Amino acid sequence: MRRPTLVRRARALTRADQLLGGYVAACLLLGGASAGGALANGLLQLGAVAIIAWVALTPGPVLALRPSRLFWAMLAALGVIAAVQLVPLPPAIWGALPGRARFLADYVTLGLPAPWLPLSLAPDRAVGSLLALLPSLGVLSLAMRTTAEGRVLAVWVTVAVAALSIAVGAVQLFSGGASRFYFYEITNRGDAVGFFANRNHLATLFLMALPFIAALAARDTQSEKRDRAARGPLYLGAFLFLTFGAALNGSSAGLALLVPCVGASVLIYRRGIGKPVPGRWVAVAAAVMGAVLVFASVGPYRGRFLDKAISGSNSATRGTSISLTAHAARDFLPLGSGVGTFRYIYTAYENPRTLNNEFVNHAHDDWVEIALETGLMGIALLAALVGWLVARGRALWAGDARTGSMARAALTAVALLLLHSLVDYPARTAAISCLAGFAIAIIATPKPASRALPSTREKRDEAAPAARAFAAD
């Protein structure tokens, strides 16, 4: 049977499929900074509000497999954490919370009555930090409504932007630090950052995209042999090109995570096709990766890439920020200092004798920063997320080999993001947070939405396997 043409495939996309592809593209192109690009981030947040409203109010396809109770419980817990940040508390209670006594004493010194104050020490920044979650929630809601073809479209959009970022990064490198091709005022000038402000966050994009390419290649093995042979080089070329970009990006964390990323991608492909990877693919990939590593290690740009990645000037600042943030987090347990307060709390813990001209806007360890700002509530939510991912991972890897490739890739992408977040804060950009929302939606609903509303009998038939699939949760 003849496969649909590209035009027919495009016409078969649902409205949700089209919105997902377009919004992911917008996030990746405009949401590359956590602090900079206020106008672009504001527009993305407004777009997310419109998307969430559209999903909530528009009848659409019914999910064949529904998310587990733990998934909804985690979303509810996130809402609770957000809500309690701005609830005013009486001075007697607020001043008794850990870390607040020094701030309450300021009112006494000024001779002013202490007002009712919210949990967050910086409520204005708390609002901004909570609004930054909107792009990921918008993509999450859309991805749970889309079909399989819509998810494939979003993956190809991600791969295309990642590949374009390599080209933009090359222009940035060879046009110098004063190049007009840097899109943010505060950025890693002299490095390849693509559409991001931080080269480490570009590395995260590469790492998250690679497993999805492997999943697409595995998924395509079910197509006709003629079409598969024609598209095989496309998948291999895209994978090697993004691997090349990740290796030469200059991010030390990106380099460290590249090897497990490639290894996991190979396993995703093998599991998806039900047989070992062809030897020629391994040989080509090994040869290209070896050449890249040799080029970065002993080539003319060693000083630009490897040396700078391993012994960067900000390595001491990064270690100090993590240590001081962990100290502050202990002082503010169990409720934390409030969302968005890191910048103000951190300055109170810095040693004046060791201050330099480097500005620390985040802890370079999102796990520790979340513990500081949200206390035990945030720690419990992170623990629940990890537990849920482990349970879903066991179910997905033990499930059907040929139909779970996208979900395994999504699981790998989230795992790589969590690992990178141990030494950075990539998820605080709209670009990376939208990919996180996309991946989590796939993990929660590995079987995409159907286009037609099922009958009552079909609902009963789907309920039993759905319950078995999520029993591990």
Side-chain angles (χ1 to χ4, degrees), residues 129-148:
S129 297
L130 295 174
L131 290 176
L133 295 174
L134 288 173
S136 61
L137 295 176
V139 172
L140 173 68
S141 61
L142 266 181
M144 294 176 69
R145 175 72 68 87
T146 52
T147 65

Side-chain angles (χ1 to χ4, degrees), residues 188-242:
N188 297 133
R189 291 192 174 273
D191 292 322
V193 297
F195 296 100
F196 289 83
N198 190 315
R199 63 177 179 175
N200 296 303
H201 303 164
L202 175 59
T204 308
L205 172 61
F206 293 141
L207 294 172
M208 295 182 74
L210 286 171
F212 281 110
I213 299 176
L216 289 181
R219 181 178 178 271
D220 207 34
T221 57
Q222 301 177 36
S223 62
E224 294 181 4
K225 185 175 181 181
R226 181 182 59 185
D227 296 331
R228 185 170 67 249
R231 286 191 293 268
L234 174 62
Y235 295 122
L236 180 59
F239 190 88
L240 294 179
F241 189 56
L242 295 195

Side-chain angles (χ1 to χ4, degrees), residues 397-457:
W397 282 97
D400 184 73
R402 291 183 177 274
T403 59
S405 295
M406 286 287 282
R408 296 182 194 108
L411 184 72
T412 303
V414 173
L416 291 167
L417 174 60
L418 292 177
L419 289 173
H420 199 175
S421 295
L422 288 169
V423 292
D424 218 303
Y425 49 94
R428 293 184 182 272
T429 65
I432 300 302
S433 69
C434 88
L435 293 184
F438 175 64
I440 289 175
I442 296 177
I443 297 169
T445 57
K447 188 175 181 180
S450 58
R451 285 189 174 85
L453 295 175
S455 64
T456 304
R457 181 176 180 179

Side-chain angles (χ1 to χ4, degrees), residues 221 236 266 269-270 273 275-285:
T221 57
L236 180 59
V266 171
Y269 180 80
R270 287 189 59 182
I273 65 175
K275 60 181 180 180
V277 181
R280 62 182 182 275
W281 285 42
V282 176
V284 171

Side-chain angles (χ1 to χ4, degrees), residues 199 250 252 255 302-303 305-316:
R199 63 177 179 175
S252 54
L255 288 171
R302 173 188 167 92
F305 297 114
L306 192 62
D307 289 348
K308 191 172 183 179
I310 295 176
S311 58
S313 61
N314 68 341
S315 58

Side-chain angles (χ1 to χ4, degrees), residues 63-322:
L63 295 174
L65 287 178
R66 299 190 180 278
S68 65
R69 293 177 180 176
L70 180 56
F71 173 82
W72 295 118
M74 288 189 296
L75 283 184
L78 181 62
V80 170
I81 292 174
V84 300
Q85 300 298 313
L86 303 176
V87 176
L89 299 173
I93 296 178
W94 190 88
L97 298 178
R100 269 74 175 178
R102 72 175 79 173
F103 300 100
L104 194 63
D106 292 340
Y107 288 98
V108 177
T109 302
L110 294 173
L112 299 174
W116 284 48
L117 296 169
L119 176 65
S120 176
L121 293 173
D124 56 332
R125 291 193 59 81
V127 172
S129 297
L130 295 174
L131 290 176
L133 295 174
L134 288 173
S136 61
L137 295 176
V139 172
L140 173 68
S141 61
L142 266 181
M144 294 176 69
R145 175 72 68 87
T146 52
T147 65
E149 292 301 323
R151 293 178 174 183
V152 169
L153 172 63
V155 170
W156 277 119
V157 167
T158 302
V159 173
V161 174
L164 183 60
S165 296
I166 297 177
V168 173
V171 174
Q172 292 167 341
L173 280 177
F174 295 109
S175 58
S179 171
R180 69 179 67 179
F181 292 98
Y182 288 95
F183 302 105
Y184 298 97
E185 185 66 26
I186 301 176
T187 187
N188 297 133
R189 291 192 174 273
D191 292 322
V193 297
F195 296 100
F196 289 83
N198 190 315
R199 63 177 179 175
N200 296 303
H201 303 164
L202 175 59
T204 308
L205 172 61
F206 293 141
L207 294 172
M208 295 182 74
L210 286 171
F212 281 110
I213 299 176
L216 289 181
R219 181 178 178 271
D220 207 34
T221 57
Q222 301 177 36
S223 62
E224 294 181 4
K225 185 175 181 181
R226 181 182 59 185
D227 296 331
R228 185 170 67 249
R231 286 191 293 268
L234 174 62
Y235 295 122
L236 180 59
F239 190 88
L240 294 179
F241 189 56
L242 295 195
T243 302
F244 179 87
L248 296 185
N249 169 260
S251 167
S252 54
L255 288 171
L257 292 173
L258 182 58
V259 173
C261 175
V262 172
S265 300
V266 171
L267 291 178
I268 290 168
Y269 180 80
R270 287 189 59 182
R271 181 65 175 156
I273 65 175
K275 60 181 180 180
V277 181
R280 62 182 182 275
W281 285 42
V282 176
V284 171
V288 173
M289 285 191 63
V292 169
L293 292 176
V294 169
F295 178 78
S297 301
V298 300
Y301 292 96
R302 173 188 167 92
R304 181 182 295 276
F305 297 114
L306 192 62
D307 289 348
K308 191 172 183 179
I310 295 176
S311 58
S313 61
N314 68 341
S315 58
T317 302
R318 185 183 300 265
T320 300
S321 70
I322 295 175

Side-chain angles (χ1 to χ4, degrees), residues 312-404:
S313 61
N314 68 341
S315 58
T317 302
R318 185 183 300 265
T320 300
S321 70
I322 295 175
S323 176
L324 290 181
T325 305
H327 182 196
R330 290 192 296 269
D331 291 345
F332 280 90
L333 286 175
L335 297 180
S337 60
V339 172
T341 59
F342 168 81
R343 184 182 302 177
Y344 306 109
I345 300 302
Y346 184 79
T347 55
Y349 282 79
E350 285 185 297
N351 184 351
R353 298 180 180 178
T354 60
L355 291 178
N356 54 34
N357 61 352
E358 293 191 13
F359 174 71
V360 180
N361 60 333
H362 288 291
H364 291 282
D365 184 334
D366 242 355
W367 296 70
V368 175
E369 188 168 337
I370 289 173
L372 165 65
E373 295 186 342
T374 60
L376 294 181
M377 294 184 294
I379 294 172
L381 182 57
L382 286 175
L385 174 62
V386 172
W388 178 72
L389 290 173
V390 170
R392 294 300 304 127
R394 292 178 59 184
L396 291 171
W397 282 97
D400 184 73
R402 291 183 177 274
T403 59

